[in-house]
Amino acid sequence: MMQSSLYTAGLVDGEALDRLEAERKLCVALARKHHLAVFDRVRPRIEGCDDPTRLKAWALATSDLSDSEFLSLLGT
């Protein structure tokens, strides 16, 4: 059975949105764990980010940075 390119594109877009949401959730969870003192300041920045690559980089950096360094990384 052939699938239309619109259907296939919809699947790809859905997968990209799933990945974006997964990266966001992970980054939020790690920021809460490692940067609770500044979490209220970084959470809106994380939740507003639409770049899964950036979110992944932020998530990986959470355990390596001080609160002030994490704020700086996020541009907050």
Side-chain angles (χ1 to χ4, degrees), residues 9-56:
L11 287 177
V12 171
D13 289 345
E15 289 172 6
L17 288 175
D18 289 346
R19 176 176 175 228
L20 176 63
E21 190 57 30
E23 295 291 354
R24 252 192 218 126
K25 285 180 180 182
L26 177 62
C27 192
V28 164
L30 290 171
R32 181 182 295 120
K33 177 180 179 180
H34 294 287
H35 300 286
L36 189 58
V38 297
F39 180 69
D40 289 340
R41 292 175 59 191
V42 298
R43 184 178 187 167
R45 179 82 165 116
I46 294 168
E47 290 178 343
C49 182
D50 291 331
D51 181 350
T53 303
R54 178 173 287 158
L55 288 164
K56 184 176 183 177

